[in-house]
């Protein structure tokens, strides 16, 4: 394949022959990432770094920045509402379970929460993004929760490694641009991965919380939310969510997705689905009668929730070539090669992933 030579050439830098061995509940092993020669500023809310707040560190970066700058976050909980308007930032923690950016804020889907990205070329590694507004420990009525995103992505060319996104409704606002998520954890109940983003979710864990939506499935009421609400708006719209070798688990029930716009596109490939996934699988929402325009796809998935008995009749069956195009980062999210401009350890990890694809359909 055309990218194989490049992959082999880069692999000597920081070879990850088994990326799973570098990931735990805390995130990625950072020993290789720390070797990248980029300027680093340190944030510690205890005063042992260059800045006490993340926003102060971001504000210190020149507006016309054209060199990668690493913002290293020491362990701690940062109660901040962060907005990034500057490009070429790597924001890094060493353990996602010990580095949390959180805020208690709800009501506005495109501005509430602890984190908003408005600039290109951004990387986050081993960080938890959490909206603490809906602190739900067990199943509650839908009417008792509010829109409360943990992260809002409004920019192109962003990637996340070993990060966690935690809330209940609209957890990850994947609104605009091309994004790549590797070994991330996403928790929520209602529309908790949503927007018009063009994104690949690789080896991620999706945790479904229990919230009632009073949705009728097979003529009976189900306590079910929605994992995705993708907003593709036309055949020419390149957006969509692709989940490759992920895991769906949890304590609630959920549809794989609903049509947030008339050409919604979501693909699950090789994903292990527990019985939290309702039999119907997908919902047309306000676009009933237009289901031929959706691209809702499941390929080679496993687990009780992957049983297609009871699925909606209009779930799509794509050709192997069409699935390959969506699974391959180089054709779906990286057609201009932006991911090769990331810090070297991430480039190595990315190309190692490409090698592992091997187009197996």
């Amino acid at each position: 394949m055309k990218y194989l030579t490049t992959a082999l050439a880069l692999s000597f830098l920081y070879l990850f022959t088994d990326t799973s061995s570098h990931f735990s509940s805390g995130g990625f092993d950072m020993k290789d990432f720390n070797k990248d020669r980029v300027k680093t500023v340190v944030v510690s809310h205890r005063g042992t770094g260059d800045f006490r707040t993340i926003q102060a560190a971001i504000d210190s970066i020149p507006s016309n920045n054209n060199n990668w700058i690493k913002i290293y976050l020491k362990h701690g909980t940062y109660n901040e509402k962060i907005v990034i308007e500057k490009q070429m930032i790597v924001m890094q923690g060493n353990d996602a379970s010990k580095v949390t950016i959180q805020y208690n804020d709800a009501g506005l889907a495109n501005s509430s929460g602890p984190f908003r990205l408005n600039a290109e070329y951004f990387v986050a590694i081993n960080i938890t993004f959490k909206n603490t507004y809906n602190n739900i420990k067990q199943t509650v009525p839908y009417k008792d929760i509010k829109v409360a995103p943990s992260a809002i992505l409004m920019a192109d060319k962003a990637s996340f490694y070993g990060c966690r996104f935690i809330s209940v409704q609209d957890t990850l606002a994947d609104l605009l641009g091309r994004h790549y998520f590797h070994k991330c954890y996403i928790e929520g109940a209602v529309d908790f991965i949503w927007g018009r983003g063009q994104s690949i979710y690789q080896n991620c864990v999706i945790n479904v919380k229990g919230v009632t939506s009073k949705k009728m499935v097979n003529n009976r009421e189900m306590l079910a939310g929605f994992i995705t609400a993708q907003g593709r708006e036309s055949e020419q719209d390149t957006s969509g969510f692709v989940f490759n070798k992920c895991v769906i688990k949890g304590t609630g029930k959920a549809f794989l997705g609903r049509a947030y716009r008339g050409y919604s596109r979501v693909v699950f490939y090789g994903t292990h689905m527990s019985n939290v996934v309702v039999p119907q699988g997908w919902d047309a929402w306000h676009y009933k009668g237009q289901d031929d325009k959706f691209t809702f796809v499941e390929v080679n998935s496993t687990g009780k929730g992957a049983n297609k008995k009871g699925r909606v009749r209009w779930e799509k069956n794509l050709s192997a070539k069409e699935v390959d195009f969506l699974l391959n980062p180089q054709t779906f999210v990286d057609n201009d090669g932006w991911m090769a401009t990331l810090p070297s350890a991430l480039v190595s990890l990315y190309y190692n992933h490409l090698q592992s694809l091997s187009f197996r359909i």
Side-chain angles (χ1 to χ4, degrees):
M1 315 189 102
K2 66 180 181 180
Y3 55 77
L4 186 56
T5 301
T6 309
L8 293 173
L10 287 166
S11 62
F12 78 94
L13 291 172
Y14 302 100
L15 185 60
F16 290 80
T17 55
D18 178 9
T19 56
S20 63
S21 67
H22 292 270
F23 181 75
S24 67
S25 60
F28 281 95
D29 184 336
M30 295 308 303
K31 64 180 183 297
D32 292 314
F33 293 87
N34 289 329
K35 295 177 183 177
D36 280 309
R37 295 181 179 179
V38 297
K39 178 182 177 181
T40 300
V41 296
V42 178
V43 180
S44 170
H45 68 294
R46 296 179 178 176
T48 59
D50 301 305
F51 300 93
R52 285 182 176 272
T53 69
I54 300 169
Q55 191 65 57
I58 294 165
D59 292 344
S60 74
I61 297 171
S63 296
N64 60 349
N65 177 52
N66 288 313
N67 297 298
W68 284 104
I69 294 178
K70 182 188 294 182
I71 299 176
Y72 173 73
L73 308 182
K74 288 195 172 183
H75 290 352
T77 299
Y78 297 86
N79 290 287
E80 297 189 51
K81 191 176 177 69
I82 297 165
V83 178
I84 294 183
E85 304 277 359
K86 299 170 182 179
Q87 67 174 14
M88 301 193 78
I89 293 175
V90 176
M91 199 157 68
Q92 174 198 318
N94 276 345
D95 187 332
S97 69
K98 296 179 181 178
V99 179
T100 299
I101 302 171
Q102 68 178 33
Y103 204 73
N104 186 318
D105 191 14
L108 298 174
N110 63 355
S111 62
S112 293
F115 179 80
R116 179 182 169 107
L117 177 66
N118 292 337
E120 294 185 345
Y121 294 104
F122 174 80
V123 178
I125 303 169
N126 290 347
I127 297 169
T128 293
F129 300 90
K130 184 177 183 180
N131 196 318
T132 59
Y133 182 84
N134 297 307
N135 186 19
I136 295 173
K137 294 183 171 61
Q138 55 187 322
T139 301
V140 299
Y142 176 85
K143 65 181 178 61
D144 290 345
I145 66 172
K146 289 185 178 181
V147 172
S150 68
I152 300 168
L153 309 183
M154 295 287 291
D156 195 25
K157 303 170 187 173
S159 55
F160 298 82
Y161 300 83
C163 290
R164 305 194 302 175
F165 303 88
I166 299 173
S167 186
V168 176
Q169 182 169 349
D170 292 10
T171 301
L172 179 52
D174 190 349
L175 298 186
L176 293 172
R178 294 167 296 168
H179 310 131
Y180 181 72
F181 300 83
H182 194 148
K183 294 189 174 179
C184 292
Y185 171 92
I186 308 158
E187 177 180 297
V190 179
D191 295 353
F192 63 99
I193 305 171
W194 73 284
R196 196 183 159 199
Q198 184 171 335
S199 302
I200 288 179
Y201 294 82
Q202 178 70 35
N203 299 110
C204 293
V205 174
I206 299 166
N207 188 27
V208 177
K209 301 290 284 184
V211 174
T212 65
S213 67
K214 296 186 177 179
K215 190 69 186 174
M216 298 301 293
V217 178
N218 296 331
N219 296 317
R220 63 192 179 91
E221 186 176 283
M222 295 287 290
L223 310 182
F226 302 92
I227 293 171
T228 66
Q230 204 281 327
R232 185 168 175 254
E233 297 182 339
S234 69
E235 289 184 0
Q236 292 72 42
D237 187 338
T238 59
S239 71
F241 298 157
V242 177
F243 298 86
N244 188 12
K245 295 186 178 179
C246 295
V247 172
I248 300 174
K249 63 178 186 177
T251 57
K253 291 286 186 180
F255 291 79
L256 293 171
R258 71 174 180 90
Y260 178 53
R261 292 292 185 266
Y263 288 80
S264 185
R265 177 161 63 179
V266 180
V267 176
F268 285 91
Y269 179 89
T271 291
H272 183 81
M273 303 178 181
S274 74
N275 61 4
V276 303
V277 178
V278 299
Q280 187 178 354
W282 308 92
D283 193 281
W285 204 245
H286 298 306
Y287 298 94
K288 289 181 174 61
Q290 304 177 48
D291 41 63
D292 60 317
K293 298 176 181 177
F294 311 146
T295 305
F296 289 152
V297 179
E298 298 172 70
V299 181
N300 293 355
S301 289
T302 59
K304 292 182 179 179
N307 187 341
K308 291 191 176 183
K309 184 178 180 180
R311 285 292 194 265
V312 294
R313 294 190 303 273
W314 37 264
E315 185 179 59
K316 286 288 191 302
N317 291 305
L318 299 182
S319 68
K321 182 178 180 180
E322 290 171 319
V323 174
D324 283 349
F325 176 87
L326 296 169
L327 286 179
N328 185 352
Q330 285 197 319
T331 52
F332 188 55
V333 297
D334 187 33
N335 58 309
D336 58 357
W338 66 270
M339 294 189 73
T341 69
L342 299 177
S344 59
L346 298 178
V347 172
S348 181
L349 179 64
Y350 168 57
Y351 279 100
N352 210 36
H353 166 215
L354 294 182
Q355 282 183 271
S356 72
L357 286 175
S358 303
F359 291 96
R360 66 251 113 164
I361 298 173

